[in-house]
Amino acid sequence: MKLKITAIITAAVLLIFTSLSAHAAVYTVEKPTNGNTIYIAGDPDMYPIEYYDTQDKEYKGILPELYKKISDDSGIDFSYIDSGIVNDQYRLAKNDQVEIVSAHAKGDVDYLSDEVHILTYKKGDEQIELCVGFTSIAPDSLKNTVTTALKSTSSEQILRLSVETAVTESPNDFPFWMIFVIAGLAVLCIVLALLIFIRRKKDKEAKADRMTDAVTGIGNSLYFEHWYNNFISPASSPLYYIAYIGIDIQRILQYADGTVSEEIQTFAASELAAHAGETGFCARVSDGRFALAFEAPVEQQAREYIEHLLSKLNQFNSDVMLKYHIHFQAGIFHLDAPNIPCEKALFNARHGFYHAREMNAPFVFSDSKLLGREEYVKSLKSKLRDALDNKEFRLYVQYIFDGKGQKACGAEALSRWDSPDEGVIAPADYIQMLETAEMIDELDFYILAECCRTLESWKQTDKRNIWLSCNMTRITLSNEIFAERFKEIISRYDFDIGKLVIEITEDAFAESKKLVRGNIEICKQMGCQIALDDFGCGYSSVKDLDDYPIDIIKIDRELIIGSHREKGKKLLLGIINLSHFLGIKALCEGVETEEELTASVNAGCDYIQGYLLARTNPADEPFVERNITFE
């Protein structure tokens, strides 16, 4: 930019104080020569914009040069009508003897159909607008071509042409005021250059802001991608590892406010920046998720590097992290080939991170074996899409009984994949795949529609009083369009919406707790009941009873199994009493033995579910294992 400004100033100085040889631009004629030529009436006294050279008997200056350039670009043949040193523009325009009236002050020449502004200058106290005009015989195509060329000519180009068209000795009648015009143009160019410099500086600062994470102050995903593409060369890529590091922010937010979350992430950002050093770089790519590029000559040193980094990150003095065993984990991908796109490198590292969470490991390297599994997931994704489109998922139900285990009062809706290739596939074999493929919400909405259809079909049967619970993952409940889709599905069927129970399943991957709460409240306002699955274990917690409008808690089977011990029996009783104190009904799930049934009944639970009382069967087939009495 400094060089550009210097060049402009130099051009202005040369223009005013230096003389160079001129170049002829357009030859003149006494009269028209052929029907394909465009004729111009020039001003012989408008140096250096346009003037008549009495020695060479032709027009020279900036505009003749521009006409020559237009001629080269368009093939149009331009020719000045030679009137010597007399300005005959008015007469030639009046008699329609020319198509173009070249350099003239606006308003000086009548009989023009259009004018194009070139520049403005001061002559004494008068403001002069210099123009090029067209007569009535000028075709529109000519007007468009010349107008476009003139308007696209920058001030810098005009300055350059001014320098090129200056002569050793200016004409005797050279208007001295034109020096000020040219100097004004030079000043204008300098101002424009400065404005461009300032604008580019602001753009650069704005770009820096766009690449900065507002929470932690380090870079964001745009920053990481920028440095990845500009810092890691094909030659150096084998030395680099990409780490995807994260912590379960949603669990932290269950037990603490947003301030604690920000403190943890700001601390992590500081540690990552320190570990990145001069050869690495890091960024916060989403809530609780960080990306780090670092150098390591061999994998063993990369392992030691990550172990040390995670040790530092997990030393943060947070009561929530310590009490609930929440810690940072990582996935690492080695750039073992040149020119691996940033998006793919992060995807591979992220896959290692999610695998580390599944295995409850500190970190996992995304090697060929692990990534081969990812290819399998990709192929399965297309099969799952076809399965949903072809309605290969069937609705199964497991009936739920009253607190004494005698009458069926409800049922839980479950799904099975009835694959034409593999037969009936259990949820354990495809639910996680659906979550990995980001398609779990499609299954949830599909089963919701099946639940509504089933409740509608039960209206005229002995199951008319049965309520049906439909599982909804927190991922689905954090979908911004959940309410819209939920209402649309419900509207298709005719049934008592009070018989529909929305069951919040155990899931730590909800994107927004606020959205989950809002969508659950919408379901509640529409008349649905709300149940909380796996209460007492996993991710469901006592705080959920305060966060959500819960009607039923489903006590996890692990607590039912432990009820044969005295302490376990008291724990089960205490949970049921707590739920009743809050106006919430309790359901004991996974009851499989008489002892567990007795413990559940004695604890005062409201509902019982388990294989001892009823197994899972297709919703549209008669129950064949035993006779069930429905309320």
Side-chain angles (χ1 to χ4, degrees), residues 134-164:
F134 303 94
T135 65
S136 60
I137 65 172
D140 290 339
S141 58
L142 171 68
K143 294 179 185 179
N144 293 335
T145 300
V146 175
T147 299
T148 301
L150 291 173
K151 288 187 175 181
S152 63
T153 303
S154 67
S155 298
E156 289 184 41
Q157 291 173 305
I158 293 176
L159 275 176
R160 178 177 55 78
L161 288 170
S162 299
V163 173
E164 292 175 354

PDB file of all heavy atoms in Angstrom, residues 134-164:
ATOM      1  N   PHE A 134     -23.067  12.925 -26.448  1.00  0.00           N
ATOM      2  CA  PHE A 134     -23.502  12.180 -27.631  1.00  0.00           C
ATOM      3  C   PHE A 134     -24.639  12.950 -28.304  1.00  0.00           C
ATOM      4  O   PHE A 134     -25.545  13.457 -27.639  1.00  0.00           O
ATOM      5  CB  PHE A 134     -23.983  10.784 -27.249  1.00  0.00           C
ATOM      6  CG  PHE A 134     -22.957   9.980 -26.522  1.00  0.00           C
ATOM      7  CD1 PHE A 134     -22.922   9.953 -25.123  1.00  0.00           C
ATOM      8  CD2 PHE A 134     -21.999   9.252 -27.216  1.00  0.00           C
ATOM      9  CE1 PHE A 134     -21.969   9.216 -24.452  1.00  0.00           C
ATOM     10  CE2 PHE A 134     -21.040   8.508 -26.548  1.00  0.00           C
ATOM     11  CZ  PHE A 134     -21.027   8.490 -25.160  1.00  0.00           C
ATOM     12  N   THR A 135     -24.595  13.007 -29.624  1.00  0.00           N
ATOM     13  CA  THR A 135     -25.683  13.637 -30.378  1.00  0.00           C
ATOM     14  C   THR A 135     -26.786  12.618 -30.628  1.00  0.00           C
ATOM     15  O   THR A 135     -26.648  11.438 -30.299  1.00  0.00           O
ATOM     16  CB  THR A 135     -25.167  14.187 -31.711  1.00  0.00           C
ATOM     17  OG1 THR A 135     -24.738  13.100 -32.531  1.00  0.00           O
ATOM     18  CG2 THR A 135     -24.010  15.162 -31.493  1.00  0.00           C
ATOM     19  N   SER A 136     -27.866  13.085 -31.267  1.00  0.00           N
ATOM     20  CA  SER A 136     -29.029  12.224 -31.497  1.00  0.00           C
ATOM     21  C   SER A 136     -28.747  11.099 -32.472  1.00  0.00           C
ATOM     22  O   SER A 136     -29.487  10.103 -32.529  1.00  0.00           O
ATOM     23  CB  SER A 136     -30.205  13.069 -32.009  1.00  0.00           C
ATOM     24  OG  SER A 136     -29.856  13.718 -33.225  1.00  0.00           O
ATOM     25  N   ILE A 137     -27.685  11.216 -33.299  1.00  0.00           N
ATOM     26  CA  ILE A 137     -27.408  10.157 -34.276  1.00  0.00           C
ATOM     27  C   ILE A 137     -26.515   9.062 -33.703  1.00  0.00           C
ATOM     28  O   ILE A 137     -26.212   8.082 -34.379  1.00  0.00           O
ATOM     29  CB  ILE A 137     -26.762  10.746 -35.555  1.00  0.00           C
ATOM     30  CG1 ILE A 137     -25.382  11.341 -35.227  1.00  0.00           C
ATOM     31  CG2 ILE A 137     -27.679  11.753 -36.232  1.00  0.00           C
ATOM     32  CD1 ILE A 137     -24.608  11.759 -36.486  1.00  0.00           C
ATOM     33  N   ALA A 138     -26.055   9.231 -32.471  1.00  0.00           N
ATOM     34  CA  ALA A 138     -25.187   8.222 -31.848  1.00  0.00           C
ATOM     35  C   ALA A 138     -26.019   7.008 -31.454  1.00  0.00           C
ATOM     36  O   ALA A 138     -27.001   7.142 -30.727  1.00  0.00           O
ATOM     37  CB  ALA A 138     -24.488   8.808 -30.627  1.00  0.00           C
ATOM     38  N   PRO A 139     -25.688   5.805 -31.919  1.00  0.00           N
ATOM     39  CA  PRO A 139     -26.446   4.602 -31.539  1.00  0.00           C
ATOM     40  C   PRO A 139     -26.240   4.278 -30.057  1.00  0.00           C
ATOM     41  O   PRO A 139     -25.220   4.616 -29.469  1.00  0.00           O
ATOM     42  CB  PRO A 139     -25.856   3.507 -32.437  1.00  0.00           C
ATOM     43  CG  PRO A 139     -24.490   3.990 -32.795  1.00  0.00           C
ATOM     44  CD  PRO A 139     -24.577   5.487 -32.854  1.00  0.00           C
ATOM     45  N   ASP A 140     -27.235   3.574 -29.476  1.00  0.00           N
ATOM     46  CA  ASP A 140     -27.153   3.219 -28.046  1.00  0.00           C
ATOM     47  C   ASP A 140     -25.945   2.339 -27.754  1.00  0.00           C
ATOM     48  O   ASP A 140     -25.331   2.440 -26.691  1.00  0.00           O
ATOM     49  CB  ASP A 140     -28.440   2.498 -27.624  1.00  0.00           C
ATOM     50  CG  ASP A 140     -29.631   3.443 -27.586  1.00  0.00           C
ATOM     51  OD1 ASP A 140     -29.402   4.664 -27.494  1.00  0.00           O
ATOM     52  OD2 ASP A 140     -30.785   2.945 -27.650  1.00  0.00           O
ATOM     53  N   SER A 141     -25.616   1.460 -28.690  1.00  0.00           N
ATOM     54  CA  SER A 141     -24.468   0.566 -28.473  1.00  0.00           C
ATOM     55  C   SER A 141     -23.185   1.369 -28.301  1.00  0.00           C
ATOM     56  O   SER A 141     -22.329   1.037 -27.480  1.00  0.00           O
ATOM     57  CB  SER A 141     -24.327  -0.415 -29.641  1.00  0.00           C
ATOM     58  OG  SER A 141     -24.170   0.292 -30.866  1.00  0.00           O
ATOM     59  N   LEU A 142     -23.051   2.458 -29.092  1.00  0.00           N
ATOM     60  CA  LEU A 142     -21.870   3.312 -28.964  1.00  0.00           C
ATOM     61  C   LEU A 142     -21.875   4.009 -27.605  1.00  0.00           C
ATOM     62  O   LEU A 142     -20.843   4.066 -26.916  1.00  0.00           O
ATOM     63  CB  LEU A 142     -21.856   4.343 -30.092  1.00  0.00           C
ATOM     64  CG  LEU A 142     -20.786   5.442 -29.957  1.00  0.00           C
ATOM     65  CD1 LEU A 142     -19.401   4.842 -30.138  1.00  0.00           C
ATOM     66  CD2 LEU A 142     -21.044   6.566 -30.946  1.00  0.00           C
ATOM     67  N   LYS A 143     -23.039   4.553 -27.234  1.00  0.00           N
ATOM     68  CA  LYS A 143     -23.138   5.239 -25.940  1.00  0.00           C
ATOM     69  C   LYS A 143     -22.717   4.312 -24.802  1.00  0.00           C
ATOM     70  O   LYS A 143     -21.951   4.689 -23.911  1.00  0.00           O
ATOM     71  CB  LYS A 143     -24.563   5.722 -25.708  1.00  0.00           C
ATOM     72  CG  LYS A 143     -25.034   6.808 -26.669  1.00  0.00           C
ATOM     73  CD  LYS A 143     -26.479   7.188 -26.345  1.00  0.00           C
ATOM     74  CE  LYS A 143     -27.040   8.187 -27.336  1.00  0.00           C
ATOM     75  NZ  LYS A 143     -28.450   8.525 -27.020  1.00  0.00           N
ATOM     76  N   ASN A 144     -23.231   3.079 -24.828  1.00  0.00           N
ATOM     77  CA  ASN A 144     -22.928   2.120 -23.753  1.00  0.00           C
ATOM     78  C   ASN A 144     -21.451   1.793 -23.705  1.00  0.00           C
ATOM     79  O   ASN A 144     -20.828   1.740 -22.643  1.00  0.00           O
ATOM     80  CB  ASN A 144     -23.745   0.839 -23.933  1.00  0.00           C
ATOM     81  CG  ASN A 144     -25.223   1.074 -23.732  1.00  0.00           C
ATOM     82  OD1 ASN A 144     -25.619   2.012 -23.045  1.00  0.00           O
ATOM     83  ND2 ASN A 144     -26.055   0.237 -24.324  1.00  0.00           N
ATOM     84  N   THR A 145     -20.847   1.575 -24.892  1.00  0.00           N
ATOM     85  CA  THR A 145     -19.435   1.194 -24.945  1.00  0.00           C
ATOM     86  C   THR A 145     -18.544   2.306 -24.411  1.00  0.00           C
ATOM     87  O   THR A 145     -17.667   2.086 -23.565  1.00  0.00           O
ATOM     88  CB  THR A 145     -19.039   0.845 -26.392  1.00  0.00           C
ATOM     89  OG1 THR A 145     -19.840  -0.235 -26.853  1.00  0.00           O
ATOM     90  CG2 THR A 145     -17.562   0.447 -26.463  1.00  0.00           C
ATOM     91  N   VAL A 146     -18.763   3.525 -24.902  1.00  0.00           N
ATOM     92  CA  VAL A 146     -17.920   4.657 -24.499  1.00  0.00           C
ATOM     93  C   VAL A 146     -18.165   5.008 -23.032  1.00  0.00           C
ATOM     94  O   VAL A 146     -17.217   5.256 -22.275  1.00  0.00           O
ATOM     95  CB  VAL A 146     -18.184   5.870 -25.409  1.00  0.00           C
ATOM     96  CG1 VAL A 146     -17.412   7.094 -24.915  1.00  0.00           C
ATOM     97  CG2 VAL A 146     -17.792   5.552 -26.846  1.00  0.00           C
ATOM     98  N   THR A 147     -19.428   5.035 -22.636  1.00  0.00           N
ATOM     99  CA  THR A 147     -19.756   5.369 -21.245  1.00  0.00           C
ATOM    100  C   THR A 147     -19.101   4.393 -20.279  1.00  0.00           C
ATOM    101  O   THR A 147     -18.504   4.778 -19.270  1.00  0.00           O
ATOM    102  CB  THR A 147     -21.279   5.355 -21.039  1.00  0.00           C
ATOM    103  OG1 THR A 147     -21.873   6.338 -21.891  1.00  0.00           O
ATOM    104  CG2 THR A 147     -21.627   5.675 -19.587  1.00  0.00           C
ATOM    105  N   THR A 148     -19.204   3.087 -20.582  1.00  0.00           N
ATOM    106  CA  THR A 148     -18.600   2.058 -19.715  1.00  0.00           C
ATOM    107  C   THR A 148     -17.099   2.246 -19.624  1.00  0.00           C
ATOM    108  O   THR A 148     -16.503   2.168 -18.545  1.00  0.00           O
ATOM    109  CB  THR A 148     -18.924   0.658 -20.255  1.00  0.00           C
ATOM    110  OG1 THR A 148     -20.337   0.484 -20.306  1.00  0.00           O
ATOM    111  CG2 THR A 148     -18.303  -0.415 -19.360  1.00  0.00           C
ATOM    112  N   ALA A 149     -16.456   2.528 -20.765  1.00  0.00           N
ATOM    113  CA  ALA A 149     -15.002   2.704 -20.768  1.00  0.00           C
ATOM    114  C   ALA A 149     -14.586   3.922 -19.962  1.00  0.00           C
ATOM    115  O   ALA A 149     -13.628   3.875 -19.184  1.00  0.00           O
ATOM    116  CB  ALA A 149     -14.513   2.821 -22.209  1.00  0.00           C
ATOM    117  N   LEU A 150     -15.314   5.015 -20.122  1.00  0.00           N
ATOM    118  CA  LEU A 150     -14.963   6.236 -19.395  1.00  0.00           C
ATOM    119  C   LEU A 150     -15.177   6.076 -17.896  1.00  0.00           C
ATOM    120  O   LEU A 150     -14.354   6.510 -17.086  1.00  0.00           O
ATOM    121  CB  LEU A 150     -15.789   7.413 -19.924  1.00  0.00           C
ATOM    122  CG  LEU A 150     -15.453   7.886 -21.354  1.00  0.00           C
ATOM    123  CD1 LEU A 150     -16.452   8.938 -21.800  1.00  0.00           C
ATOM    124  CD2 LEU A 150     -14.034   8.427 -21.433  1.00  0.00           C
ATOM    125  N   LYS A 151     -16.293   5.454 -17.518  1.00  0.00           N
ATOM    126  CA  LYS A 151     -16.586   5.296 -16.088  1.00  0.00           C
ATOM    127  C   LYS A 151     -15.673   4.305 -15.401  1.00  0.00           C
ATOM    128  O   LYS A 151     -15.479   4.354 -14.188  1.00  0.00           O
ATOM    129  CB  LYS A 151     -18.048   4.884 -15.897  1.00  0.00           C
ATOM    130  CG  LYS A 151     -19.029   6.015 -16.176  1.00  0.00           C
ATOM    131  CD  LYS A 151     -20.449   5.616 -15.815  1.00  0.00           C
ATOM    132  CE  LYS A 151     -21.401   6.799 -15.986  1.00  0.00           C
ATOM    133  NZ  LYS A 151     -22.790   6.453 -15.633  1.00  0.00           N
ATOM    134  N   SER A 152     -15.125   3.366 -16.182  1.00  0.00           N
ATOM    135  CA  SER A 152     -14.243   2.362 -15.578  1.00  0.00           C
ATOM    136  C   SER A 152     -12.798   2.832 -15.523  1.00  0.00           C
ATOM    137  O   SER A 152     -11.930   2.130 -15.022  1.00  0.00           O
ATOM    138  CB  SER A 152     -14.317   1.053 -16.382  1.00  0.00           C
ATOM    139  OG  SER A 152     -13.847   1.251 -17.710  1.00  0.00           O
ATOM    140  N   THR A 153     -12.528   4.028 -16.055  1.00  0.00           N
ATOM    141  CA  THR A 153     -11.166   4.568 -16.021  1.00  0.00           C
ATOM    142  C   THR A 153     -10.934   5.254 -14.680  1.00  0.00           C
ATOM    143  O   THR A 153     -11.621   6.207 -14.328  1.00  0.00           O
ATOM    144  CB  THR A 153     -10.962   5.584 -17.159  1.00  0.00           C
ATOM    145  OG1 THR A 153     -11.253   4.950 -18.405  1.00  0.00           O
ATOM    146  CG2 THR A 153      -9.526   6.085 -17.171  1.00  0.00           C
ATOM    147  N   SER A 154     -10.001   4.724 -13.902  1.00  0.00           N
ATOM    148  CA  SER A 154      -9.754   5.250 -12.560  1.00  0.00           C
ATOM    149  C   SER A 154      -8.934   6.528 -12.597  1.00  0.00           C
ATOM    150  O   SER A 154      -8.339   6.885 -13.623  1.00  0.00           O
ATOM    151  CB  SER A 154      -9.006   4.208 -11.725  1.00  0.00           C
ATOM    152  OG  SER A 154      -7.713   4.018 -12.247  1.00  0.00           O
ATOM    153  N   SER A 155      -8.890   7.198 -11.461  1.00  0.00           N
ATOM    154  CA  SER A 155      -8.081   8.416 -11.351  1.00  0.00           C
ATOM    155  C   SER A 155      -6.609   8.122 -11.581  1.00  0.00           C
ATOM    156  O   SER A 155      -5.882   8.922 -12.166  1.00  0.00           O
ATOM    157  CB  SER A 155      -8.290   9.053  -9.972  1.00  0.00           C
ATOM    158  OG  SER A 155      -9.630   9.427  -9.796  1.00  0.00           O
ATOM    159  N   GLU A 156      -6.153   6.949 -11.118  1.00  0.00           N
ATOM    160  CA  GLU A 156      -4.755   6.581 -11.319  1.00  0.00           C
ATOM    161  C   GLU A 156      -4.453   6.432 -12.804  1.00  0.00           C
ATOM    162  O   GLU A 156      -3.382   6.823 -13.278  1.00  0.00           O
ATOM    163  CB  GLU A 156      -4.451   5.277 -10.579  1.00  0.00           C
ATOM    164  CG  GLU A 156      -4.432   5.421  -9.069  1.00  0.00           C
ATOM    165  CD  GLU A 156      -4.038   4.123  -8.392  1.00  0.00           C
ATOM    166  OE1 GLU A 156      -3.118   3.462  -8.904  1.00  0.00           O
ATOM    167  OE2 GLU A 156      -4.650   3.785  -7.377  1.00  0.00           O
ATOM    168  N   GLN A 157      -5.400   5.834 -13.568  1.00  0.00           N
ATOM    169  CA  GLN A 157      -5.195   5.691 -15.005  1.00  0.00           C
ATOM    170  C   GLN A 157      -5.156   7.049 -15.696  1.00  0.00           C
ATOM    171  O   GLN A 157      -4.373   7.270 -16.615  1.00  0.00           O
ATOM    172  CB  GLN A 157      -6.303   4.825 -15.604  1.00  0.00           C
ATOM    173  CG  GLN A 157      -6.220   3.356 -15.181  1.00  0.00           C
ATOM    174  CD  GLN A 157      -7.430   2.581 -15.646  1.00  0.00           C
ATOM    175  OE1 GLN A 157      -8.561   2.954 -15.345  1.00  0.00           O
ATOM    176  NE2 GLN A 157      -7.197   1.517 -16.386  1.00  0.00           N
ATOM    177  N   ILE A 158      -6.023   7.974 -15.258  1.00  0.00           N
ATOM    178  CA  ILE A 158      -6.018   9.325 -15.829  1.00  0.00           C
ATOM    179  C   ILE A 158      -4.686  10.007 -15.558  1.00  0.00           C
ATOM    180  O   ILE A 158      -4.099  10.655 -16.421  1.00  0.00           O
ATOM    181  CB  ILE A 158      -7.185  10.161 -15.275  1.00  0.00           C
ATOM    182  CG1 ILE A 158      -8.516   9.584 -15.786  1.00  0.00           C
ATOM    183  CG2 ILE A 158      -7.049  11.621 -15.658  1.00  0.00           C
ATOM    184  CD1 ILE A 158      -9.743  10.270 -15.218  1.00  0.00           C
ATOM    185  N   LEU A 159      -4.155   9.830 -14.327  1.00  0.00           N
ATOM    186  CA  LEU A 159      -2.848  10.394 -14.016  1.00  0.00           C
ATOM    187  C   LEU A 159      -1.756   9.814 -14.898  1.00  0.00           C
ATOM    188  O   LEU A 159      -0.892  10.519 -15.416  1.00  0.00           O
ATOM    189  CB  LEU A 159      -2.513  10.140 -12.546  1.00  0.00           C
ATOM    190  CG  LEU A 159      -3.058  11.153 -11.525  1.00  0.00           C
ATOM    191  CD1 LEU A 159      -2.717  10.695 -10.128  1.00  0.00           C
ATOM    192  CD2 LEU A 159      -2.528  12.532 -11.792  1.00  0.00           C
ATOM    193  N   ARG A 160      -1.789   8.487 -15.082  1.00  0.00           N
ATOM    194  CA  ARG A 160      -0.780   7.838 -15.917  1.00  0.00           C
ATOM    195  C   ARG A 160      -0.838   8.368 -17.345  1.00  0.00           C
ATOM    196  O   ARG A 160       0.180   8.683 -17.960  1.00  0.00           O
ATOM    197  CB  ARG A 160      -0.986   6.316 -15.902  1.00  0.00           C
ATOM    198  CG  ARG A 160      -0.001   5.567 -16.799  1.00  0.00           C
ATOM    199  CD  ARG A 160      -0.208   4.068 -16.679  1.00  0.00           C
ATOM    200  NE  ARG A 160      -1.579   3.702 -16.969  1.00  0.00           N
ATOM    201  CZ  ARG A 160      -2.077   3.619 -18.204  1.00  0.00           C
ATOM    202  NH1 ARG A 160      -1.322   3.894 -19.247  1.00  0.00           N
ATOM    203  NH2 ARG A 160      -3.328   3.260 -18.397  1.00  0.00           N
ATOM    204  N   LEU A 161      -2.047   8.485 -17.897  1.00  0.00           N
ATOM    205  CA  LEU A 161      -2.206   9.013 -19.251  1.00  0.00           C
ATOM    206  C   LEU A 161      -1.768  10.471 -19.324  1.00  0.00           C
ATOM    207  O   LEU A 161      -1.228  10.932 -20.339  1.00  0.00           O
ATOM    208  CB  LEU A 161      -3.666   8.874 -19.703  1.00  0.00           C
ATOM    209  CG  LEU A 161      -4.117   7.443 -20.010  1.00  0.00           C
ATOM    210  CD1 LEU A 161      -5.617   7.400 -20.210  1.00  0.00           C
ATOM    211  CD2 LEU A 161      -3.402   6.904 -21.241  1.00  0.00           C
ATOM    212  N   SER A 162      -1.981  11.223 -18.228  1.00  0.00           N
ATOM    213  CA  SER A 162      -1.551  12.617 -18.203  1.00  0.00           C
ATOM    214  C   SER A 162      -0.043  12.711 -18.338  1.00  0.00           C
ATOM    215  O   SER A 162       0.494  13.552 -19.063  1.00  0.00           O
ATOM    216  CB  SER A 162      -1.998  13.296 -16.911  1.00  0.00           C
ATOM    217  OG  SER A 162      -3.396  13.293 -16.811  1.00  0.00           O
ATOM    218  N   VAL A 163       0.655  11.820 -17.609  1.00  0.00           N
ATOM    219  CA  VAL A 163       2.112  11.810 -17.683  1.00  0.00           C
ATOM    220  C   VAL A 163       2.574  11.436 -19.085  1.00  0.00           C
ATOM    221  O   VAL A 163       3.471  12.047 -19.667  1.00  0.00           O
ATOM    222  CB  VAL A 163       2.695  10.827 -16.641  1.00  0.00           C
ATOM    223  CG1 VAL A 163       4.198  10.674 -16.836  1.00  0.00           C
ATOM    224  CG2 VAL A 163       2.395  11.318 -15.246  1.00  0.00           C
ATOM    225  N   GLU A 164       1.929  10.395 -19.643  1.00  0.00           N
ATOM    226  CA  GLU A 164       2.328   9.908 -20.955  1.00  0.00           C
ATOM    227  C   GLU A 164       2.062  10.908 -22.066  1.00  0.00           C
ATOM    228  O   GLU A 164       2.735  10.919 -23.101  1.00  0.00           O
ATOM    229  CB  GLU A 164       1.603   8.584 -21.256  1.00  0.00           C
ATOM    230  CG  GLU A 164       2.064   7.440 -20.364  1.00  0.00           C
ATOM    231  CD  GLU A 164       1.259   6.175 -20.592  1.00  0.00           C
ATOM    232  OE1 GLU A 164       0.275   6.251 -21.356  1.00  0.00           O
ATOM    233  OE2 GLU A 164       1.609   5.137 -20.028  1.00  0.00           O
TER     234      GLU A 164
END
